Amino acid sequence: MNQRTPTLLYIDDDDALARLVDRGLTRRGYSVVHAASGEEGLERIRRASAEGGIDVVALDQYMPGLDGLETLEQIMAIPDAPPVVFVTASQDSSIAVTALKAGAADYLVKDVQGDFIPLLHVAAEGALRQAALQRAREEAEAEIHASRDRYAALAAERELLLREVNHRVGNSLQIIASLLHLQASSAAQDEVKAALTNAMGRVAAVAQVHRRLYTSQDLKSVVLNQYLDSLLEDLRRSAEGNRMSRLTLKAEPIEIDPDRAVAVGIIVNELVMNAVKYAYPDGAGPIHVELISQADDLLLSITDDGVGDNAKADPRSTGMGQRIVAAMASKLDASVERDPAHSGTRVVLKFGRMPAAPGKTSTAAAS
């Protein structure tokens, strides 16, 4: 495939010198177009800007009408204007500085014999290479911006879809929890009622995470104090809510990932429900949930002032709650310990802010 012959527009009122430039650059592979004034040169550039055809401009300084600097200023205002090599017979360096600041790609001094034509050829080649590099840079930057815009659009669409998924999952789980609540309310046997209530609390703990993600600015984390506050409010409205009027929370605004937030919520649900059932045989009493940070670890405690180790074993207990707490503690890589100094029951979980590295094991004691 043959390369297109580059076209140089030579703007100079000296016709004889223009013919020398034409002959000299034609031998070097250029097509030369002559304009005898700045006004004529501007018209050719504007026409070529729409039609194509002018690759580089050689512009003389001293001309009647618009001089070179005035013409250069107007050329630079034309969209997609070709590069300009400023040509003058003046030895005044201030003109060169002004022309380069105004946007000229190069500057050279001419003579009436045409000895400058080889230098003009070199300058034109350099200006074309510089213009090609600039175009390539602009195209690359435009592609980068377009890629960023596409990525941003995809990220926004993904976030919208994730919010919709969390919204739908949260609603579905809430419906399941409501159905379990209705079933528990109508159950005649206490064992069935308790089992359904426990199941409702576990489902509600997961549903709360999805509701938090739907309303959060960050889909990758859950703020635990807000989550636990909503979770405990759900427990207060549960089938045994009349025994939870003294259920309190003190938690720092700590963020963790959604999967681990689910594990925290299920543990809190199990231990609070355990305290409601067994801590106060004669009625209700205070149950306190606390979450604090300690260096890189988090401490979660569920405390009551009930009968503690003096509680009688319930023959109806299946141990399901203890197994669930142990499983969720393992998911958190958490240690689970009872506080022997507390007169009632105080269970303390300690786990890292971030998931543990692969291979690390946890110590989860039975609750």
Side-chain angles (χ1 to χ4, degrees), residues 181-194:
H181 176 70
L182 290 173
Q183 192 69 41
S185 300
S186 61
Q189 296 178 309
D190 291 342
E191 295 87 345
V192 174
K193 185 186 294 288

Side-chain angles (χ1 to χ4, degrees), residues 216-231:
S216 172
Q217 295 296 321
D218 184 4
L219 294 173
K220 297 179 180 178
S221 64
V222 174
V223 184
L224 280 179
N225 65 324
Q226 299 173 357
Y227 168 55
L228 291 175
D229 185 59
S230 297
L231 180 62

Side-chain angles (χ1 to χ4, degrees), residues 34-55:
H34 177 225
S37 68
E39 291 83 357
E40 183 184 348
L42 286 166
E43 178 58 30
R44 285 182 176 268
I45 293 171
R46 291 190 182 101
R47 196 164 60 241
S49 182
E51 302 172 359
I54 302 298
D55 299 294

Side-chain angles (χ1 to χ4, degrees), residues 34-99:
H34 177 225
S37 68
E39 291 83 357
E40 183 184 348
L42 286 166
E43 178 58 30
R44 285 182 176 268
I45 293 171
R46 291 190 182 101
R47 196 164 60 241
S49 182
E51 302 172 359
I54 302 298
D55 299 294
V56 61
V57 176
L59 174 62
D60 184 36
Q61 162 60 3
Y62 296 108
M63 297 179 293
L66 291 175
D67 65 19
L69 291 174
E70 293 170 334
T71 304
L72 175 62
E73 182 179 355
Q74 294 194 38
I75 291 175
M76 291 297 102
I78 298 174
D80 300 320
V84 176
V85 177
F86 205 78
V87 181
T88 180
S90 173
Q91 299 291 334
D92 187 353
S93 61
S94 65
I95 295 178
V97 172
T98 303

Side-chain angles (χ1 to χ4, degrees), residues 15 24 89-90 92 94 98 115 117 145 161 166 194 221 236 332:
D15 292 336
S90 173
D92 187 353
S94 65
T98 303
D115 294 337
I117 293 174
H145 289 310
L161 290 173
N166 281 308
S221 64
R236 292 187 187 97
L332 289 170

